[in-house]
Amino acid sequence: MEGHGPHSYGDGIADAYDDWYGDQFDTAAAVDALAALVPQTGTRRLLELGIGTGRLALPLVDRGFDVWGVDASTAMVDRLHDDPRGRTIPLAVGDMADVDLDALPGGASARFAVVFVAVNTFFNLTSADAQAHCLDRVRAVLEPAGAFVLEGFVPAVDRTSTRVDARTIELDHVILTASRHDADEQLVTGQHIEIRESGIKLRPWMIRYAPPAELDAMAAAAGLHLAARWSDWKGTAFADGDNVHVSVYRPN
């Protein structure tokens, strides 16, 4: 998609993200799971990649954790800062593939008990090289006993090239989702198309998905090994056929 960059998805969806997705996820279970990974590391500092509007970060702040964040979208950051708690979070605005914390006070030497990336956000890195580089940077900022947690979907065997779905149909507006799938490149590009009498709004997105085995190989190359894999944030054992995984990696 010409002109698409790390900021594009967040800039396009920031004003609608909480309304569209706020009640679709088990936030409480995710916060519990992340909190449970912290005690053995010796620090209460966590880093979220793609922090967005703070769905996970703000409840973790409420629990007394020192939460930091990275996000490429200033529109998302503005929404996070609408909440006073969000203004207390050290935040690097930039591509999460680089995990560049140097501009933050103490950032160059900061190490984290847990680094996490939720709900397919890792796949917003749209090349294998960017994903591998992100994992290298994650390994560099983890405490020796820390954990990297990645939530993502398990790709289905589907080579459909294009599709259009009706996401929302209401009396005063319609939201369509149009997407194109390049199975060879593991790349899906799309638009949420919001149609109202007042006009049309486009919300672009692009993902480069990877199956769990490929993620494990990239993590291994970065010096991380798979310590646990669940099918949800409640710790349910992952099984063949599950369409979501929560994977916990630890430094070698």
Side-chain angles (χ1 to χ4, degrees):
M1 185 182 294
E2 187 175 352
H4 188 91
H7 59 88
S8 298
Y9 173 72
D11 287 353
I13 202 73
D15 65 318
Y17 186 86
D18 289 336
D19 289 339
W20 286 17
Y21 301 115
D23 60 354
Q24 292 190 13
F25 308 119
D26 194 343
T27 297
V31 170
D32 285 344
L34 292 167
L37 292 169
V38 171
Q40 59 190 288
T41 64
T43 178
R44 292 177 64 81
R45 185 182 297 130
L46 297 88
L47 173 65
E48 181 171 11
L49 307 182
I51 192 171
T53 62
R55 178 182 67 88
L56 295 175
L58 295 176
L60 287 164
V61 168
D62 288 343
R63 292 199 184 191
F65 292 106
D66 179 13
V67 182
W68 294 34
V70 175
D71 206 287
S73 169
T74 55
M76 280 290 201
V77 170
D78 288 345
R79 299 287 287 191
L80 174 64
H81 286 171
D82 284 343
D83 189 306
R85 296 170 297 169
R87 296 177 215 141
T88 70
I89 295 174
L91 188 65
V93 179
D95 187 352
M96 68 179 180
D98 293 323
V99 194
D100 184 3
L101 306 175
D102 291 352
L104 302 178
S109 60
R111 295 297 179 266
F112 298 88
V114 178
V115 179
F116 63 99
V117 58
V119 193
N120 306 318
T121 300
F122 186 76
F123 298 151
N124 287 340
L125 298 172
T126 55
S127 72
D129 286 346
Q131 292 173 356
H133 185 56
C134 181
L135 292 172
D136 285 338
R137 292 295 300 132
V138 166
R139 175 65 183 86
V141 301
L142 270 179
E143 290 282 0
F148 172 56
V149 187
L150 185 155
E151 179 187 15
F153 72 91
V154 179
V157 180
D158 179 4
R159 300 187 70 86
T160 302
S161 59
T162 60
R163 61 184 297 168
V164 178
D165 299 304
R167 185 187 189 281
T168 302
I169 301 176
E170 299 290 350
L171 288 174
D172 61 345
H173 72 285
V174 172
I175 302 173
L176 306 176
T177 299
S179 62
R180 181 176 64 242
H181 179 202
D182 183 337
D184 294 329
E185 297 295 328
Q186 299 171 211
L187 198 67
V188 184
T189 57
Q191 288 273 7
H192 297 305
I193 306 162
E194 188 169 354
I195 305 170
R196 298 179 182 269
E197 286 188 6
S198 57
I200 298 174
K201 184 174 179 63
L202 301 178
R203 307 179 190 272
W205 52 274
M206 178 184 294
I207 61 170
R208 192 267 174 187
Y209 60 83
E214 182 178 350
L215 294 171
D216 294 349
M218 285 194 289
L224 300 163
H225 68 271
L226 181 68
R229 175 162 287 142
W230 313 316
S231 64
D232 55 37
W233 286 100
K234 294 178 179 177
T236 303
F238 181 80
D240 289 343
D242 288 339
N243 57 14
V244 173
H245 66 100
V246 178
S247 297
V248 181
Y249 299 94
R250 293 193 180 276
N252 293 337

